[in-house]
Amino acid sequence: MLDAMHRRLLIVATLLSCGCSPTFWGRPPTRWDRTAFERDQAVRVLGCAELGFSLDRETSLTSDSSFLLDVSLRNHCVRETAVNLSALRITGRDESGAERPVEIYDPRNEVRPYQLDALAEGTERMRIDVGGSLNATRVICIDVTRISPEANQAAAAPVCLYAPSPDLVGVIDEDR
Amino acid sequence: MKRVVLIVSACCATLAFESLAQAKGCVEVSDIVGYEKCHRFGDGWAVERRWPIGLALTFPYQTFDPNGLDFSFQQGKNDPNKFSLPGDKLGSTAFGTAGFNIRMEGFIWSWIYIGVEWGLGFGHNQISDFSAMVGNTPQNFTGSDAAVNTVLFHGGGFAGLRIPLGRVSLRLEGFAGGNMASINAHSTVGDYSGSGGRGALMPRAAVDLWPSPNVTFSVYGGVNAIDTRERTLGLMLEYHVRSFDGAFALW
């Protein structure tokens, strides 16, 4: 049996060992840590639901014509609200202004209509395929009006984001 | 030197435990929809992807009536000299204990839920002196003066109804299960532990306060319909996976 001093030492050592753990203090970031709400131009309030968007490039993807679209969701009501991200209409524009549809990569057919829980927040990172050269795509526009009846009523302007590239990153607010 | 060894050992034990936990669980490979291995679209925010369950820790004060029960006293598990004593001879109307319960509940339909709970209570209770035959020898017993001389084991299932009233909700529920009390007595031949149990059918009521969509603080109480001397009054802290358990208010 441990005497009192060793028991105290064991407790201290156990507490210290938490500090040894790489995941206790500095856990790696997860998708829940991302939020696109900082930039007002990329946020739309659609009744109870609030959606924020940001674009990113991901070199590890197998497709070379894809961006990553981060969608942050927030419900500021005490009741759940409908959100159908599969109804997002996304288009890409090239330098000449020509538009082409952009598809959400969803091989498991999991992007479905859901109820965003009361006062809940979430983030989804989705691959979107522009169907052509990434470098030729200058702007990605997201029409949010079909994602819920409330969104349809709000008739919010589309969110347009500059396609991320080393020399051009940002949000376009001219369409707001 | 011993300190260093202890600290290093504790570090290694923690790391080994974490490695084991990771090995047993799913290791996520991506955070992109369609590439994720352990998660699915909607996890964390969609009602449909949240289990309608709650996990709670309660801190009840419970009373247990020893009268009308036979208590089996023994020194160890296979004590050949164990003896039985009517609880009435313990001279107590009710043993009081304070402790904790762990409970888990799931909503099966709208505001109706079912669940299970298990817990322990600890107390110090006075009992009358008594005599009993230990083997062939009569012995006198007194109540143990230890700080904790009574332990109450509690467990069972419940079903209930939660009435949402905004940031406050009311609950009415019925508990079915049992309580078993163990009390220590002292004699010249050593300390004995006596235990007896009774079923419980307990209507309970609770008032919940929601400081956040997923956490409630509650006050609850109930009376055992089988023996109304058995009562419980407690505080409860609960985590609800779904915001407001799926309903904020009646209106």
Side-chain angles (χ1 to χ4, degrees):
Chain A
M1 288 292 287
L2 292 171
D3 59 27
M5 191 188 76
H6 282 107
R7 273 200 300 272
R8 279 198 294 273
L9 274 175
L10 192 61
I11 291 167
V12 171
T14 305
L15 291 173
L16 282 173
S17 72
C18 291
C20 305
S21 161
T23 55
F24 190 81
W25 299 112
R27 67 179 174 81
T30 68
R31 65 173 174 156
W32 314 115
D33 298 328
R34 277 195 305 275
T35 174
F37 287 125
E38 307 89 51
R39 295 182 299 181
D40 288 345
Q41 299 95 327
V43 174
R44 294 292 180 270
V45 179
L46 311 162
C48 288
E50 191 176 351
L51 273 72
F53 299 91
S54 67
L55 272 182
D56 200 359
R57 270 180 193 250
E58 174 60 63
T59 52
S60 65
L61 292 179
T62 50
S63 168
D64 59 359
S65 60
S66 303
F67 290 116
L68 290 179
L69 177 66
D70 285 331
V71 184
S72 298
L73 308 103
R74 182 189 290 164
N75 182 356
H76 50 80
C77 294
V78 292
R79 290 181 172 79
E80 58 203 44
T81 187
V83 173
N84 181 7
L85 293 188
S86 65
L88 289 173
R89 287 286 186 91
I90 309 173
T91 52
R93 286 186 211 154
D94 61 21
E95 276 187 339
S96 68
E99 288 192 355
R100 65 163 64 113
V102 173
E103 300 294 328
I104 294 173
Y105 177 73
D106 183 19
R108 294 190 290 231
N109 194 28
E110 57 188 296
V111 183
R112 282 183 271 172
Y114 279 131
Q115 295 289 322
L116 174 55
D117 208 353
L119 298 176
E121 288 189 17
T123 299
E124 296 294 347
R125 170 164 274 201
M126 298 186 286
R127 172 184 141 185
I128 53 172
D129 298 332
V130 298
S133 167
L134 280 186
N135 293 331
T137 306
R138 309 303 289 177
V139 175
I140 297 289
C141 283
I142 306 153
D143 176 6
V144 296
T145 55
R146 295 167 190 244
I147 67 159
S148 69
E150 288 174 314
N152 200 10
Q153 282 183 348
V159 174
C160 290
L161 306 162
Y162 282 121
S165 66
D167 57 334
L168 194 59
V169 177
V171 180
I172 300 170
D173 58 358
E174 63 192 39
D175 292 329
R176 200 168 186 192
Chain B
M1 186 61 191
K2 271 185 179 175
R3 294 180 190 199
V4 174
V5 170
L6 274 169
I7 291 170
V8 170
S9 306
C11 275
C12 291
T14 306
L15 290 172
F17 179 76
E18 285 183 355
S19 303
L20 191 66
Q22 283 180 359
K24 282 187 172 179
C26 181
V27 178
E28 190 52 274
V29 295
S30 174
D31 59 359
I32 304 167
V33 173
Y35 293 83
E36 290 173 314
K37 183 181 167 191
C38 311
H39 295 99
R40 288 293 179 269
F41 178 85
D43 280 354
W45 59 268
V47 171
E48 294 86 343
R49 306 274 316 160
R50 286 181 160 183
W51 288 84
I53 59 171
L55 298 169
L57 187 61
T58 72
F59 303 97
Y61 176 80
Q62 288 176 272
T63 53
F64 180 86
D65 181 10
N67 298 290
L69 298 175
D70 280 338
F71 276 67
S72 174
F73 278 85
Q74 56 190 344
Q75 272 187 314
K77 205 171 183 181
N78 298 311
D79 183 1
N81 294 324
K82 66 181 177 184
F83 62 91
S84 184
L85 185 83
D88 310 54
K89 291 197 172 180
L90 295 174
S92 174
T93 51
F95 296 152
T97 62
F100 68 90
N101 290 340
I102 296 166
R103 73 181 239 157
M104 182 174 160
E105 68 195 30
F107 281 78
I108 52 171
W109 184 73
S110 188
W111 306 337
I112 296 171
Y113 58 88
I114 56 172
V116 290
E117 69 181 45
W118 175 92
L120 291 171
F122 306 95
H124 179 87
N125 292 280
Q126 300 291 336
I127 57 172
S128 303
D129 296 347
F130 63 89
S131 46
M133 296 295 287
V134 177
N136 296 319
T137 315
Q139 291 289 337
N140 292 322
F141 287 84
T142 58
S144 166
D145 55 4
V148 174
N149 65 8
T150 315
V151 178
L152 185 71
F153 302 89
H154 165 87
F158 55 85
L161 170 75
R162 191 181 76 84
I163 303 163
L165 302 169
R167 291 279 180 176
V168 173
S169 56
L170 302 178
R171 295 182 193 224
L172 299 170
E173 66 184 35
F175 169 84
N179 294 316
M180 191 184 82
S182 173
I183 188 156
N184 293 328
H186 180 72
S187 77
T188 53
V189 291
D191 287 344
Y192 273 66
S193 174
S195 57
R198 176 185 285 115
L201 284 174
M202 186 176 281
R204 295 192 295 212
V207 178
D208 307 321
L209 180 67
W210 296 81
S212 89
N214 303 99
V215 174
T216 49
F217 294 111
S218 311
V219 179
Y220 72 95
V223 178
N224 187 356
I226 296 173
D227 184 335
T228 54
R229 285 180 186 162
E230 293 188 355
R231 297 170 190 182
T232 185
L233 182 67
L235 300 173
M236 175 160 52
L237 172 66
E238 181 161 12
Y239 177 76
H240 308 258
V241 175
R242 279 171 60 171
S243 299
F244 303 112
D245 280 334
F248 181 72
L250 290 170
W251 49 90

